Amino acid sequence: NAGVTQTPKFRILKIGQSMTLQCTQDMNHNYMYWYRQDPGMGLKLIYYSVGAGITDKGEVPNGYNVSRSTTEDFPLRLELAAPSQTSVYFCASSYSNRAYEQYFGPGTRLTVT
Amino acid sequence: AQSVTQPDIHITVSEGASLELRCNYSYGATPYLFWYVQSPGQGLQLLLKYFSGDTLVQGIKGFEAEFKRSQSSFNLRKPSVHWSDAAEYFCAVGANTGNQFYFGTGTSLTVIP
């Protein structure tokens, strides 16, 4: 049981490039989340999904896109990378809604230069 | 709107001393409250959670937290801190609309021998 896995661990992008951050969970959780963590700012929710085919925006969705074609996978897409997207990105999953514990992946450290 | 405030950015305690980390929330209904811990370079791990019932909740690693509705607080405590407790601690609240979580900005704990 690997829990929540994220790839890559580190990435450097040039401004304007695009990339996809991968997230996979093997706990059969319905809910999945993407957060970004900036120094001194805590975690901000980018997007979340309550099941395959259903996604919704969080607090800071601009510049990102997501899809949820399967229960296990929840990739995050950056189309035109900007320096403001330099951050650490965490994927999380939970069995159900706000009442349930979230399980976090190890994070992806992204630098845009 | 929901919000979570952790007034202490950084706390230093001696090993063996007691610890209290503060968390205040703004919420219009019964909150679902969580404390997470993040070790350097790692994702977040749940310490404990409060949904209802007994206002003093026990968690892992010897931590406990007390919900005080009158003060809108959910402070984390530990009677005797160990060097391995050095980490970043986040308080979070589950929203009553949608399925979002709101995190505080975190408290960094340093433990000195």
Side-chain angles (χ1 to χ4, degrees):
Chain A
N1 189 338
V4 179
T5 57
Q6 293 182 238
T7 56
K9 293 188 186 304
F10 304 93
R11 183 72 184 269
I12 299 174
L13 281 182
K14 294 188 184 301
I15 295 171
Q17 286 185 321
S18 62
M19 77 164 294
T20 299
L21 282 65
Q22 301 292 344
C23 175
T24 299
Q25 54 94 6
D26 63 0
M27 297 173 282
N28 201 32
H29 285 167
N30 291 316
Y31 286 56
M32 295 188 75
Y33 308 81
W34 273 107
Y35 294 90
R36 58 177 290 171
Q37 183 181 33
D38 301 305
M41 299 295 290
L43 278 74
K44 298 292 185 182
L45 183 65
I46 305 171
Y47 272 96
Y48 66 96
S49 169
V50 302
I54 307 170
T55 63
D56 206 349
K57 297 177 181 178
E59 288 185 85
V60 291
N62 292 343
Y64 306 95
N65 280 299
V66 295
S67 59
R68 183 96 181 271
S69 57
T70 67
T71 299
E72 295 78 20
D73 300 307
F74 190 42
L76 177 72
R77 179 83 175 163
L78 284 71
E79 290 294 349
L80 292 170
S84 61
Q85 293 178 305
T86 294
S87 187
V88 181
Y89 292 84
F90 288 99
C91 179
S93 72
S94 66
Y95 172 71
S96 186
N97 61 15
R98 65 189 180 104
Y100 289 82
E101 170 187 359
Q102 293 186 43
Y103 293 82
F104 284 80
T108 294
R109 183 174 295 276
L110 175 67
T111 301
V112 182
T113 62
Chain B
Q2 295 85 1
S3 68
V4 180
T5 302
Q6 293 180 247
D8 304 306
I9 296 173
H10 185 252
I11 285 181
T12 299
V13 299
S14 298
E15 190 168 17
S18 63
L19 172 70
E20 182 169 26
L21 303 182
R22 296 184 289 166
C23 173
N24 294 97
Y25 64 90
S26 171
Y27 196 71
T30 301
Y32 289 178
L33 295 161
F34 304 80
W35 274 100
Y36 285 86
V37 61
Q38 183 182 32
S39 298
Q42 303 295 316
L44 281 70
Q45 179 187 20
L46 181 72
L47 282 175
L48 47 79
K49 59 188 177 185
Y50 171 78
F51 293 165
S52 64
D54 192 348
T55 57
L56 184 64
V57 294
Q58 302 296 321
I60 63 172
K61 304 184 181 185
F63 286 92
E64 66 178 26
E66 185 172 14
F67 170 61
K68 293 185 178 180
R69 184 185 298 275
S70 62
Q71 299 178 17
S72 297
S73 69
F74 188 56
N75 294 348
L76 182 71
R77 301 195 294 250
K78 187 169 185 178
S80 178
V81 171
H82 188 262
W83 64 266
S84 61
D85 293 324
E88 188 92 15
Y89 292 81
F90 292 93
C91 183
V93 61
N96 67 333
T97 57
N99 293 286
Q100 299 193 26
F101 284 82
Y102 294 90
F103 284 81
T105 52
T107 297
S108 176
L109 175 66
T110 298
V111 180
I112 56 178

